[in-house]
C-alpha cells in the first residue's frame, strides 16, 4: 500500500502577508511547490517579483490598512475564485527601553503586528465560511511567552495575536475554520538587518543558547506554517506551535 505524503494543499488558495522576504517568502515558495495558489502581499514593492511564479498574484500595501486587507481578499476571490488559507506573517520589531516608547512607536508597531492580522482575519473569514471552512496561521513569536528587555511593544503585539488566535479557534471552530499561531525563535531573516549592525554575527551569537546549537532558517518555520495550513493538521486548532530549536525549554 502506498501512503500519500503530500500536504493536501493542491488547489488551495492562500493569502500570505509579509511575503517579500524571510519566512513569508519561504512560505510562498513551499505552498506553491505543494500546488497552492497564492496572493502574496507586502509593503515592499519587491513582492511583485513573486508573480513570476505560477499561481502567484501580488498585492502591495501596508498590512495595517483596511484597504490592503480588502484588496488581498478581493484578489483571492477575483483571481482564484475562493480563499482557504490566511497566513498573517508580516511583522517588524522596534527595540527600545520601555520609558522611551512614544505613542507613535507603540501604535505603529501594533498596527503592523496586531491590527494587520485582525483586519485580514475579519475580511477573510466570510470567504472561508462561504467555502465551508479554512485555516488561519498567525505568526506570533516566542516573545509571546518569554521576556527580553526593550521588546515591550513587540511582545505585547505578539501576545495580542496569540490571544486573538485562540478566540478565533473557539468562535469559528464549528464552521470548520481552524486558527493556530506559530512562535518562531531566532531565525536568520532581514528583521535583524533593519536594526542590528553586523546582524549575522549577532544572530550567530544566539546559536549556542539554543539546545539545537544554532539559530533557525526561514524554511524551518515555513514547514510548520504549511503543516498548520494543511488538512494534515485537521485536529489542531487554538494552538501555539513553538519552532525555536528548544530556546524556550531553558
Ligand atoms: P523579514 O523582515 O524578512 O520579513 C517581514 C516581511 O514583512 C518583510 O517582507 C516586510 O516588508 C513585511 N512587512 C513589514 N511591515 C509590513 C507592513 N506594515 N505591511 C506589510 N508588510 C510588512 O522578517 P521575518 O523574520 O521573515 O518575519 C516574519 C514574521 O516572523 C514576523 O511577524 C516576525 O515578527 C516573526 N518572527 C520572526 C523572528 C525572527 O527571528 N526572524 C522570530 C519570531 C517571530
Amino acid at each position: 500500500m502506498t501512503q500519500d505524503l503530500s500536504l493536501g494543499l493542491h488547489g488551495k488558495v492562500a493569502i500570505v502577508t509579509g511575503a517579500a522576504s524571510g519566512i513569508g517568502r519561504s512560505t510562498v515558495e513551499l505552498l506553491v511547490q505543494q500546488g497552492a495558489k497564492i496572493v502574496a502581499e507586502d509593503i515592499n514593492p519587491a513582492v511583485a517579483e513573486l508573480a513570476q511564479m505560477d499561481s502567484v498574484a501580488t498585492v502591495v500595501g501596508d498590512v495595517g490598512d483596511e484597504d490592503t486587507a480588502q484588496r488581498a481578499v478581493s484578489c483571492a476571490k477575483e483571481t482564484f475564485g475562493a480563499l482557504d488559507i490566511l497566513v498573517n506573517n508580516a511583522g517588524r520589531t522596534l527595540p527600545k527601553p520601555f520609558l522611551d516608547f512614544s505613542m507613535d512607536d507603540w501604535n505603529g508597531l501594533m498596527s503592523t503586528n496586531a491590527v494587520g492580522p485582525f483586519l485580514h482575519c475579519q475580511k477573510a473569514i466570510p470567504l472561508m465560511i462561504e467555502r465551508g471552512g479554512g485555516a488561519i496561521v498567525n505568526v506570533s513569536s516566542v516573545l509571546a511567552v518569554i521576556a527580553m528587555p526593550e521588546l515591550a511593544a513587540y511582545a505585547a503585539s505578539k501576545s495580542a495575536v496569540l490571544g486573538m488566535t485562540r478566540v478565533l479557534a473557539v468562535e469559528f471552530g464549528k464552521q470548520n475554520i481552524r486558527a493556530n499561531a506559530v512562535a518562531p525563535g531566532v531565525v536568520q531573516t532581514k528583521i535583524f538587518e533593519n536594526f542590528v549592525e553586523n546582524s549575522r554575527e549577532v544572530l550567530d551569537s544566539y546559536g549556542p543558547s539554543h539546545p539545537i546549537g544554532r539559530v533557525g532558517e526561514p524554511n524551518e518555520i515555513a514547514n510548520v506554517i504549511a503543516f498548520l495550513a494543511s488538512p494534515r493538521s485537521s485536529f489542531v486548532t487554538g494552538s501555539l506551535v513553538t519552532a525555536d530549536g528548544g530556546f524556550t525549554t531553558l
Side-chain angles (χ1 to χ4, degrees), residues 17-24 41-44 61-64 88-93 111-113 139-142 154 158 182-192 194 203 218:
T17 72
S21 75
I23 294 166
E41 180 195 312
D42 208 289
I43 199 166
N44 181 350
D62 185 334
V63 80
N88 279 310
N89 164 76
R92 61 188 178 88
T93 186
S111 169
T112 305
N113 292 2
V139 179
S140 177
S141 165
V142 291
Y154 186 74
K158 293 299 185 179
V182 180
V186 181
V187 180
Q188 166 61 42
T189 66
K190 279 197 180 144
I191 214 164
F192 285 90
N194 295 337
L203 267 171

Side-chain angles (χ1 to χ4, degrees), residues 114-129:
V115 176
F118 155 68
L119 291 170
H120 284 70
C121 286
Q122 207 176 52
K123 307 280 181 208
I125 287 171
L127 254 76
M128 292 179 176
I129 292 173

